[in-house]
Amino acid sequence: MTLLFIAFTLGLNAQGLQIKGVVTSADDGQPVPGLSVFVKGTTTGTMTDINGYYSLDNVPVNSTIVFSFVGMKTREIVVTESATYDIVMASDMELIDEIVVVGYGTQKKSLVTGAIAKVDGDDLRKSADMRVTQALQGKTAGVVITANSGQPGSQISVRIRGAGTNGDAEPLYIIDGLPMSGAGTDFLNAADIESIEVLKDAASAAIYGARGANGVVLITTKTGRTDTRLTVSYDGYYGFQNPWKKIPMLNAKEYIMLTNEASINGGLGPKFTPSQIESFTADTDWQDEMFYYNAPKQNHSLSFMGGSDKLEYSSSINYFSQDGIVAKGKSNFEKIGYRLNAAGTFGFFKLGGNVNLVGITTRGIATNDRFGLGLNQALNMPPIVPVMFSDGSWATPEAYGIGLQEITNPVAMISYNNSKTRTYKLIGNLYGEFDFGEVARALEGLVFRTSFGGEYAIVNNDSYTPEYYLDAMHFSIIDRANKSIDIWSRWNFENVLTYTKSFGVNNLTLMAGTTAFKDMYENLWGSKNDLIFDDFEHSYLDNATDPESANAGGGYSEHTVASLFARVNYDLMDRYMLTATIRRDGSSRFGDENKYGYFPSASIGWVISREDFMSGLSNVIDMLKLRASWGQNGNESIGDFGYTSVIGNQNIYYFGDSKTQYNGTQPTRIANPSLRWETSEQTNFGIDLSTLNSSVTVTLDYYIKKTKDWLVTAPVPMLVGNSAPIINGGSVQNSGIEAEISYRKQLGDLYFSASVNGAFNKSEVLDIQNTGKTLAGGDGGFGQSGVIYAAIGTPMGVFHGVKTAGIFQTQEEVNSYVSSTGAKIQPNAQPGDIKFVDENRDGTISDADRVVIGSPFPDFTGGLNLNAEMYGFDFNMFLYAALGQEIYSATRRYDMNGANYSAEWLNRWTGEGTSDFYPRVTFVDNNLNSKTVSDFYIQDGSFVRLRNITLGYTLPKSITDAISLSKLRLYVSAENLYTFTKYTGYDPEIGGGVFDNGIDRGIYPQPRTIMTGISVTF
């Protein structure tokens, strides 16, 4: 018996202890998934599951068990018996967002091997931007976000690690699993955002394959939590917007002086006679007439959140309204939306989904157009012209003998501008998740998720042109109603199988899935003249009476993508990490020869701080991780059916002696069945560091991104008779360095945090496969084309023009500027004209002398965010910087004799030595001072903008408890309070396409906004 007892005891000791338990956070009591649990000094370990549960077998008696999670203080316990050990983990300075969203899943930040930046929803809500994407500006390194204009609802240009294509360089957006374009994010409300992750390197974005070449932005909206009571929150603000800057223009007296001088210099005599000047009584500030001062902006959001033991839900109602600071009543944005996000757990099955209902109404004017109705008109209008004559009729330049063609009274034209766009959206996603581990222990870690998401949008565009007459160029002899309906729909069906397993200290996650995606577009439009009731309110087509003017049309297009993808994540002891992905995409935009593309990636990571040889630095370095990644992504943004020739039916043919007219069809372009994917290949090296008890975190990245096989239009002779085919031809390389540093500290009652980020990017075109080995686009002033350019060896999309060398001061200088043959290089020049550099030394000034004269893309972008909290007060300040870019200033209509000048032209050349930059003013520009694309128009566009500053106060808990509230916060905030810049135009932030970026034609500026707000939680 004694021997049996001893054997039994030894057997127990050999078998070891069994321990289990749940790990929760001390901050909110929620489970901590993905936490490492291991026996100290051994390779035996596991990880907590999604519910924070862990279990370890065969644990030796008196072993030390280590509970470790980055951002939380490590805990150790000694176990002496088999039992349940529930562990509460305390935050270690709450290291930033330890769980990040990756493609088709989540991952601990400490195990991430790619370049992924996360912005928490709380940071977004500190800005009052309508567009969530603009609120990202300056929040993460390497992501350049530029407003295309300040008009409410306008688009945003987003560039992740530079422009890698000559076409659409915008990233892919994934909103709760649904792929979208940046334009489709306008339904989002910042208060509903849980987090935004930006997948910057190819390894992170490769899981999205064919659409990830420009980076991927993952947006996750709020969900509820189980076992939490219902909370109701209201967030709202109301503010006023104003232009932060006006451009100094000539007043009436100065305008008359320079206009007469320009006419005399052109040999035409004075434009205005003394008697005419005597009759001029107006001195109109056309900018003041166009600006809407104290334009209101408001936002109201009511949200509900909670859950039971099996149900979680989050819901919100939002109203947003913003009037533009230009063209009162004709430039505004209004949105009302409802969102519901809910999920329920039923044993091994979880069912959830979300739905968004949104209605948007917009009105707008031209935002950066020298021909359209906008601020360009105000900058060029003569100040001697009043808004109205004394009899109440509109005044025009024509009445003063000034012919300005497209330029006329902008206030009058605004009064005739009647247009409105109404958008109605239904966006939703339904998913089912099966946890097979709840069915059988052998299947623990196996989860299948199926989801179906979609969007349906109806866009109604209404416009009305009344009968009116302003001048010979601006009139309408009929009144017309125009109507169009655009229907956008898309659906996305995904099935993902994930298997997670821990083998001691080995942690493995396998994921595989399929995606089927389709988007469709359909439109219908019509117009008709002569309305019974001649006003915008009644501008219906059946209210028009002229049957012969009736016109209608429409069309349809679609785009489909079918995909297979897989990923493996492996880590050893949370120390050595490996991630590999592969995706196969098929797109309807490519022919049978290259319909499918393959996009692989691989990345590794090493948490070097967990090595024994680093133990001596454990008091200094909390975490140090090295990362490296490589991957390929694709780009298919070429329009639908780009590989083939679509048949068009807009052709007219005449047959027979009577020349009878017939409508015919023909191919619209040359087919290219061998068209293939544009591919972006990227290598990334990174370092993640936390130190000083995790109060300081540092992230550094270096990348090289090469994009090849551009999708470009090939040049063909005109005799071919069809549009050119789309071909693959060109490549560009972007490389750069990114850095993010944050600091957090608690000093008694003061909590302080600061974060700074910055990025440098270098772009170089490697190849362009067309005849001229160049690409060009972008128009400046009248007759100025090809302002933006790319060639082998230059950055992508730079300014291309002739260099200047000052002003000819004397006729002798004109005569002495000669070629090698002794001929004058600028034979038509006079003293006071611009001296252009004969770059190719051929003795003439022409387009052949153009060189790179600047770039619209910054060399450096960065942001600084400061936060402080004490005694209920909170303070936030955010600055954004973009340095090293130039702007092409094309606001003045030099082709219009009589257009107004900016006040800088008072420094023009009037005689020897008076100016070496501003030339003489003249109506007869034989030297082509204004028409020549040159660095005369280039200005430094660098700026530092105080993007947001907020001061808030949260009432003490004793007061809120007395009035039955959980929380009450009041705040005042200012946006775009000040911009430090040398640029003389309205706004140095001018976005656009790759070949239409940074050209200022009278940009609609971003407003300065002062607002007050309140946040209440019941």
Side-chain angles (χ1 to χ4, degrees):
M1 291 294 294
T2 302
L3 291 174
L4 288 174
F5 178 79
I6 294 173
F8 178 73
T9 304
L10 290 174
L12 284 178
N13 289 335
Q15 183 179 357
L17 307 176
Q18 182 185 51
I19 66 171
K20 60 183 179 179
V22 175
V23 180
T24 57
S25 169
D27 291 338
D28 54 15
Q30 293 297 309
V32 181
L35 179 139
S36 295
V37 183
F38 61 92
V39 180
K40 190 172 184 178
T42 73
T43 58
T44 302
T46 186
M47 296 176 64
T48 56
D49 64 14
I50 194 171
N51 297 312
Y53 176 81
Y54 74 92
S55 176
L56 272 178
D57 296 325
N58 299 322
V59 178
V61 178
N62 295 322
S63 294
T64 300
I65 307 301
V66 180
F67 298 83
S68 174
F69 191 84
V70 176
M72 291 184 168
K73 295 179 180 179
T74 300
R75 286 202 57 183
E76 297 182 359
I77 64 170
V78 177
V79 294
T80 58
E81 60 180 342
S82 297
T84 297
Y85 297 88
D86 291 334
I87 305 298
V88 178
M89 300 290 288
S91 295
D92 190 359
M93 287 305 297
E94 200 177 340
L95 189 62
I96 302 175
D97 302 312
E98 298 311 321
I99 296 294
V100 298
V101 178
V102 296
Y104 306 102
T106 60
Q107 195 173 13
K108 287 198 303 182
K109 186 176 177 65
S110 62
L111 300 180
V112 170
T113 53
I116 300 177
K118 179 174 182 177
V119 179
D120 190 75
D122 290 336
D123 292 330
L124 296 175
R125 287 183 284 278
K126 293 173 183 176
S127 172
D129 291 303
M130 185 284 294
R131 285 197 175 274
V132 172
T133 46
Q134 189 168 13
L136 277 174
Q137 187 184 64
K139 297 292 196 306
T140 181
V143 182
V144 179
I145 297 174
T146 310
N148 291 355
S149 83
Q151 180 161 255
S154 64
Q155 298 298 308
I156 307 296
S157 294
V158 180
R159 300 289 181 267
I160 298 177
R161 294 186 166 180
T165 178
N166 62 304
D168 184 3
E170 296 295 315
L172 171 69
Y173 293 84
I174 306 292
I175 304 175
D176 289 333
L178 182 64
M180 285 187 156
S181 66
T185 63
D186 56 357
F187 75 94
L188 289 169
N189 173 29
D192 294 332
I193 302 300
E194 183 69 30
S195 69
I196 297 181
E197 276 82 3
V198 182
L199 311 185
K200 298 189 289 185
D201 68 329
S204 302
I207 198 66
Y208 291 103
R211 292 171 286 176
N214 299 317
V216 180
V217 179
L218 305 177
I219 300 177
T220 305
T221 60
K222 286 183 176 180
T223 60
R225 288 184 174 180
T226 56
D227 294 319
T228 56
R229 67 178 183 84
L230 171 65
T231 59
V232 181
S233 300
Y234 167 78
D235 291 280
Y237 62 77
Y238 191 93
F240 298 96
Q241 309 162 94
N242 286 289
W244 66 274
K245 182 180 183 180
K246 285 175 59 178
I247 298 176
M249 303 298 294
L250 300 184
N251 60 29
K253 180 179 179 181
E254 295 163 340
Y255 169 80
I256 293 168
M257 177 181 66
L258 262 69
T259 301
N260 274 348
E261 184 180 315
S263 185
I264 293 170
N265 287 342
L268 305 176
K271 172 67 177 176
F272 304 117
T273 65
S275 59
Q276 287 178 311
I277 297 172
E278 186 71 24
S279 66
F280 296 155
T281 59
D283 191 358
T284 306
D285 186 332
W286 286 101
Q287 293 179 87
D288 275 347
E289 297 297 333
M290 288 287 284
F291 280 133
Y292 177 18
Y293 291 95
N294 294 322
K297 178 180 180 179
Q298 59 181 312
N299 185 70
H300 307 278
S301 181
L302 185 64
S303 61
F304 308 83
M305 184 179 294
S308 62
D309 58 339
K310 295 182 179 180
L311 177 67
E312 56 190 56
Y313 58 89
S314 174
S315 180
S316 68
I317 301 172
N318 172 249
Y319 175 78
F320 177 89
S321 175
Q322 181 181 10
D323 280 281
I325 60 171
V326 182
K328 181 179 180 180
K330 301 301 176 88
S331 172
N332 46 53
F333 180 98
E334 185 179 41
K335 178 185 70 173
I336 184 167
Y338 171 75
R339 181 188 68 93
L340 173 64
N341 197 333
T345 302
F346 310 94
F348 71 95
F349 177 63
K350 184 175 183 179
L351 178 66
N354 61 73
V355 63
N356 294 268
L357 298 171
V358 184
I360 299 172
T361 302
T362 60
R363 297 176 178 85
I365 62 172
T367 58
N368 192 16
D369 189 346
R370 65 176 180 272
F371 298 118
L373 176 59
L375 285 172
N376 186 279
Q377 298 260 341
L379 295 175
N380 286 278
M381 271 293 291
I384 62 173
V385 179
V387 177
M388 285 185 171
F389 291 121
S390 57
D391 62 359
S393 62
W394 296 112
T396 65
E398 184 182 69
Y400 290 77
I402 306 171
L404 296 180
Q405 298 180 35
E406 295 92 1
I407 305 298
T408 193
N409 187 329
V411 179
M413 290 302 295
I414 285 174
S415 71
Y416 299 129
N417 181 54
N418 300 286
S419 64
K420 179 171 63 176
T421 299
R422 292 166 295 153
T423 303
Y424 305 97
K425 289 186 178 184
L426 170 62
I427 303 166
N429 186 60
L430 181 67
Y431 70 87
E433 190 170 282
F434 301 84
D435 186 349
F436 294 102
E438 296 290 334
V439 179
R441 187 174 179 83
L443 298 177
E444 186 176 359
L446 185 63
V447 177
F448 174 71
R449 180 186 174 100
T450 182
S451 64
F452 184 86
E455 175 188 21
Y456 189 80
I458 299 176
V459 182
N460 292 306
N461 295 286
D462 298 289
S463 66
Y464 168 67
T465 303
E467 183 178 346
Y468 72 94
Y469 183 89
L470 276 181
D471 54 41
M473 289 289 294
H474 301 87
F475 64 91
S476 177
I477 60 175
I478 52 92
D479 57 339
R480 169 175 293 191
N482 296 276
K483 175 85 172 181
S484 70
I485 299 177
D486 301 292
I487 300 176
W488 305 82
S489 58
R490 67 181 64 203
W491 56 259
N492 189 66
F493 180 45
E494 291 180 345
N495 295 278
V496 181
L497 185 65
T498 304
Y499 179 66
T500 303
K501 183 68 174 178
S502 294
F503 306 91
V505 294
N506 298 276
N507 303 302
L508 179 68
T509 299
L510 302 175
M511 184 271 290
T514 66
T515 293
F517 171 83
K518 184 174 184 178
D519 62 4
M520 296 150 284
Y521 168 70
E522 182 178 358
N523 77 310
L524 179 67
W525 60 267
S527 63
K528 199 173 181 182
N529 299 347
D530 291 343
L531 277 72
I532 299 174
F533 302 102
D534 53 351
D535 59 64
F536 184 41
E537 193 69 24
H538 298 88
S539 57
Y540 301 105
L541 295 181
D542 61 357
N543 189 29
T545 60
D546 181 7
E548 294 189 3
S549 67
N551 200 4
Y556 172 82
S557 65
E558 65 179 40
H559 165 223
T560 59
V561 177
S563 309
L564 301 172
F565 53 87
R567 178 175 60 214
V568 56
N569 291 95
Y570 169 77
D571 75 84
L572 176 62
M573 297 184 294
D574 285 353
R575 186 179 304 175
Y576 312 106
M577 291 83 73
L578 169 67
T579 300
T581 68
I582 182 69
R583 179 159 177 144
R584 178 181 185 261
D585 278 318
S587 172
S588 63
R589 290 175 173 170
F590 298 91
D592 292 338
E593 295 183 22
N594 292 291
K595 185 173 291 293
Y596 293 93
Y598 294 84
F599 306 97
S601 78
S603 57
I604 57 175
W606 179 21
V607 183
I608 191 173
S609 57
R610 290 181 177 170
E611 298 291 351
D612 291 340
F613 61 79
M614 294 288 290
S615 60
L617 299 174
S618 59
N619 293 330
V620 178
I621 297 177
D622 303 301
M623 194 275 288
L624 175 61
K625 180 175 63 176
L626 307 181
R627 295 178 281 107
S629 69
W630 171 90
Q632 290 185 339
N633 303 112
N635 183 15
E636 54 151 9
S637 298
I638 59 170
D640 298 320
F641 305 105
Y643 66 93
T644 190
S645 182
V646 181
I647 301 299
N649 62 356
Q650 303 300 315
N651 302 280
I652 298 175
Y653 299 89
Y654 297 90
F655 295 98
D657 295 336
S658 61
K659 304 297 182 183
T660 303
Q661 176 179 312
Y662 295 90
N663 289 334
T665 62
Q666 72 169 27
T668 57
R669 65 166 171 252
I670 302 171
N672 178 16
S674 63
L675 189 68
R676 62 184 180 273
W677 303 83
E678 187 174 284
T679 302
S680 175
E681 183 175 315
Q682 187 175 169
T683 303
N684 189 94
F685 301 96
I687 298 174
D688 297 324
L689 169 69
S690 63
T691 183
L692 302 179
N693 293 323
S694 299
S695 61
V696 177
T697 61
V698 179
T699 299
L700 300 173
D701 280 280
Y702 170 73
Y703 63 89
I704 300 175
K705 181 174 72 171
K706 181 180 178 181
T707 305
K708 59 184 179 180
D709 296 332
W710 284 350
L711 301 170
V712 300
T713 301
V716 295
M718 292 186 64
L719 58 87
V720 172
N722 288 107
S723 299
I726 299 173
I727 65 169
N728 297 100
S731 60
V732 63
Q733 178 172 288
N734 284 277
S735 59
I737 298 174
E738 301 167 353
E740 298 185 20
I741 304 172
S742 65
Y743 175 74
R744 298 166 181 251
K745 192 66 175 178
Q746 185 87 36
L747 300 172
D749 294 321
L750 173 65
Y751 172 77
F752 173 79
S753 69
S755 62
V756 61
N757 68 77
F760 296 89
N761 182 75
K762 180 183 178 182
S763 170
E764 181 182 0
V765 175
L766 304 177
D767 183 33
I768 300 177
Q769 294 183 17
N770 60 21
T771 304
K773 300 293 183 182
T774 62
L775 294 172
D779 295 330
F782 181 79
Q784 295 183 345
S785 61
V787 172
I788 297 181
Y789 166 91
I792 297 174
T794 73
M796 172 70 83
V798 293
F799 295 125
H800 191 232
V802 179
K803 286 186 176 181
T804 61
I807 303 295
F808 289 115
Q809 300 295 325
T810 64
Q811 186 62 44
E812 182 181 355
E813 289 185 9
V814 176
N815 296 337
S816 62
Y817 189 40
V818 296
S819 67
S820 57
T821 63
K824 291 181 182 179
I825 294 177
Q826 292 178 239
N828 297 319
Q830 296 183 30
D833 285 336
I834 296 176
K835 181 180 181 180
F836 298 108
V837 176
D838 181 17
E839 193 71 29
N840 66 353
R841 301 184 180 181
D842 65 352
T844 60
I845 302 299
S846 66
D847 284 347
D849 295 305
R850 288 200 192 187
V851 294
V852 176
I853 56 175
S855 171
F857 300 105
D859 298 323
F860 170 84
T861 57
L864 172 64
N865 195 61
L866 302 175
N867 291 279
E869 298 178 19
M870 189 174 187
Y871 301 137
F873 289 96
D874 60 88
F875 171 80
N876 171 260
M877 184 175 71
F878 174 63
L879 291 102
Y880 174 70
L883 308 176
Q885 73 273 27
E886 283 79 31
I887 293 174
Y888 193 91
S889 179
T891 56
R892 187 173 191 275
R893 292 295 302 270
Y894 290 98
D895 56 312
M896 303 289 186
N897 288 336
N900 200 10
Y901 297 83
S902 66
E904 294 169 328
W905 278 89
L906 294 174
N907 301 316
R908 71 208 177 281
W909 188 92
T910 56
E912 184 177 352
T914 54
S915 174
D916 200 36
F917 182 77
Y918 289 98
R920 68 193 181 102
V921 291
T922 178
F923 279 1
V924 182
D925 185 15
N926 292 325
N927 191 54
L928 303 182
N929 293 327
S930 58
K931 191 173 183 179
T932 302
V933 179
S934 72
D935 60 14
F936 173 75
Y937 297 98
I938 297 294
Q939 292 191 37
D940 183 358
S942 300
F943 68 92
V944 176
R945 173 166 280 168
L946 182 52
R947 192 78 174 82
N948 183 275
I949 185 168
T950 302
L951 178 63
Y953 179 69
T954 301
L955 269 65
K957 194 173 187 307
S958 58
I959 297 178
T960 54
D961 286 346
I963 55 178
S964 301
L965 296 178
S966 296
K967 183 179 180 181
L968 176 60
R969 176 176 176 263
L970 307 171
Y971 65 90
V972 292
S973 182
E975 285 191 326
N976 301 326
L977 191 62
Y978 196 81
T979 301
F980 303 87
T981 183
K982 294 181 181 178
Y983 182 57
T984 60
Y986 281 125
D987 200 323
E989 191 175 335
I990 303 172
V994 176
F995 284 88
D996 193 32
N997 193 50
I999 302 177
D1000 186 359
R1001 306 177 185 95
I1003 189 73
Y1004 191 128
Q1006 297 183 71
R1008 173 185 290 157
T1009 309
I1010 308 296
M1011 60 198 129
T1012 60
I1014 183 172
S1015 298
V1016 185
T1017 301
F1018 300 91

